[in-house]
Amino acid sequence: MSRYPRDMRGYGPNAPDPQWPGGAKIAVQFVLNYEEGGENCVLHGDAGSEAFLSDIAGAASWPGQRHWNMESIYEYGARSGFWRLHRLFTGADIPVTIYGVASALARSPEQVAAMKAANWEIASHGLKWVEHKDMPEEDERAAIAEAVRLHTEIVGARPRGWYTGRCSANTVRLVAEEAGFDYISDTYDDDLPYWLEVGERDQLIIPYTLEANDMRFATAPGYITGEQFFTYLKDAFDTLYAEGEAGAAKMMSIGLHCRLIGRPGKLAGLKRFLDYIQGFEGVWTPRRIDIAEHWAKTHPHARWQRPSEMSREDFVAAYGGIFEHSPWIAEGAHGLELGPAHDCAAGVHNALCRVFRTASDDKRLAVLNAHPDLAGKLAAAGRLTSESTSEQASAGLDMLTDAERENFTALNTAYVEKHGFPFIIAVRDHDKASILAAFTRRIDNDTATEMNEACRQVERIAEFRLMDLLP
């Protein structure tokens, strides 16, 4: 048995209605990353200079040295870019979420005061703007705790949201275990918030973005002009807004950096986008904490027994009867590589069918013979499984006239004599008349053809049964 931890399903084909406030068709959320003064620098005790997200093409870290050009680019973000963005957003009356690196905030008290005066959310962006991927788990846990402590000291309130950015495979779990955050944003995997179960904690995740993000001005492929940034944001907005009009509202995250979008030519594209979205009705521009509070109230988490997390005994007890009287199929399915993608009807169905399809002909024939005759003696005696009883009743096979029952009995007898297994059909796809028509048509097929068709119908019956039990 193995389990695959990544979730390739998410909400599946039917995402929940977020029910944004005021019936908004889209939530457009702006994040301003404040990293200036928290980046890699020997002045900060780091091994070398910063090399990430600047206007220096092909930048590389300088081990043991200060990189004057890199430092001054970051300083531009604090000295000029921040204030340009502050004027833009306060002027548009749009609040933002700050992803604040704690050590950067400590070096920018005037900017912190302006963030607070504007009622912007100041979420945590970690202790320093450095890589976490190589940190031992205990070192990262300590860095998270120190980020919270220092942030609280500087801002006057602890952060309620967290985004590392340069995270490790352990980061989300460690931040969730810290147990003080309303949301974590170190994922890029959805257009809506979702809940993540971490031990006993139900942690809200609000996914972020690296594509509707001005970091693309500093990476390849990327943006060259503000107009390109505007065009991309506009196209994303238009697509999501149309989905919202069709009843499938989503969230649009936009990531910004003081030293990047804060440059005049780049900012022009952002300003154009703000002007553009203000021409639409039903656009909500919240802080991330506003989204978190709304989601927790509107879509509180409810735990349930997930198939991929069941013991073998529980899994077989739940799904051993999906293929009629054949619990060995569920036993085999439980041993496959299951994961969150299997925690739904389609997922369990696929796992069960894999075992059924790869079984020997004799085993598959035994599954076919485990199925009762349609409207046969077992039905008359009330000895069908509850699933078969319900299925036959759904097509009216429990309410046959004497003539119809005689016809079914004759067809059943002839079919079994010819093919060696009962006639099987997913009755929920049919009514009484179409079942009889299929019976009459299929009885003349060769046995190999009927074996394949019967197996396909068994899988279809299993699919219906699972849809009664699972999302």
Side-chain angles (χ1 to χ4, degrees), residues 30 88 91-92 94 230 267-280:
F30 295 90
L88 176 66
I94 294 176
F230 163 71
L267 186 112
L270 175 62
K271 183 179 186 306
R272 203 166 295 141
F273 180 70
L274 297 188
D275 293 341
Y276 179 72
I277 65 174
Q278 290 181 329
F280 289 80

Side-chain angles (χ1 to χ4, degrees), residues 5-162:
R6 296 170 63 197
D7 186 351
M8 311 302 276
R9 178 174 184 263
Y11 287 120
N14 300 305
D17 178 1
Q19 300 176 50
W20 298 134
K25 300 176 179 65
I26 186 173
V28 181
Q29 202 286 306
F30 295 90
V31 166
L32 180 57
N33 293 266
Y34 199 88
E35 300 154 351
E36 290 75 10
E39 78 278 11
N40 282 285
C41 180
V42 296
L43 292 177
H44 306 157
D46 301 309
S49 62
E50 186 57 69
F52 192 42
L53 294 190
S54 80
D55 288 322
I56 300 176
S61 179
W62 291 5
Q65 296 184 54
R66 293 178 66 184
H67 192 315
W68 194 263
N69 292 347
M70 181 65 74
E71 289 180 21
S72 66
I73 285 174
Y74 270 74
E75 289 160 14
Y76 182 92
R79 294 161 55 119
S80 296
F82 172 82
W83 298 109
R84 184 170 286 121
L85 289 159
H86 185 270
R87 290 190 295 271
L88 176 66
F89 280 105
T90 56
D93 196 25
I94 294 176
V96 306
T97 288
I98 297 290
Y99 283 166
V101 174
S103 56
L105 296 176
R107 297 179 174 114
S108 298
E110 198 168 17
Q111 290 89 334
V112 170
M115 297 170 193
K116 293 173 67 176
N119 197 29
W120 291 356
E121 176 198 4
I122 309 178
S124 180
H125 198 8
L127 178 61
K128 300 172 68 175
W129 175 231
V130 298
E131 294 285 0
H132 282 221
K133 66 182 180 65
D134 297 319
M135 284 187 187
E137 187 170 316
E138 286 310 306
D139 288 356
E140 186 173 14
R141 193 188 304 274
I144 293 167
E146 177 60 13
V148 173
R149 187 204 67 77
L150 182 58
H151 182 111
T152 304
E153 179 183 302
I154 295 160
V155 177
R158 73 154 283 152
R160 296 173 61 187
W162 177 280

Side-chain angles (χ1 to χ4, degrees), residues 369-417:
N369 279 313
H371 278 260
D373 291 336
L374 287 181
K377 294 179 180 179
L378 290 178
R383 292 171 53 198
L384 299 181
T385 63
S386 59
E387 293 88 354
S388 290
T389 298
S390 174
E391 288 157 0
Q392 294 204 19
S394 71
L397 300 186
D398 60 336
M399 300 289 290
L400 298 178
T401 65
D402 290 342
E404 288 171 335
R405 187 172 292 104
E406 288 177 8
N407 190 18
F408 266 106
T409 299
L411 287 169
N412 281 327
T413 300
Y415 187 94
V416 173
E417 286 178 354

Side-chain angles (χ1 to χ4, degrees), residues 206-220:
I206 303 182
Y208 187 46
T209 178
L210 297 181
E211 43 83 46
N213 192 308
D214 68 355
M215 68 176 288
R216 302 297 291 272
F217 281 109
T219 59

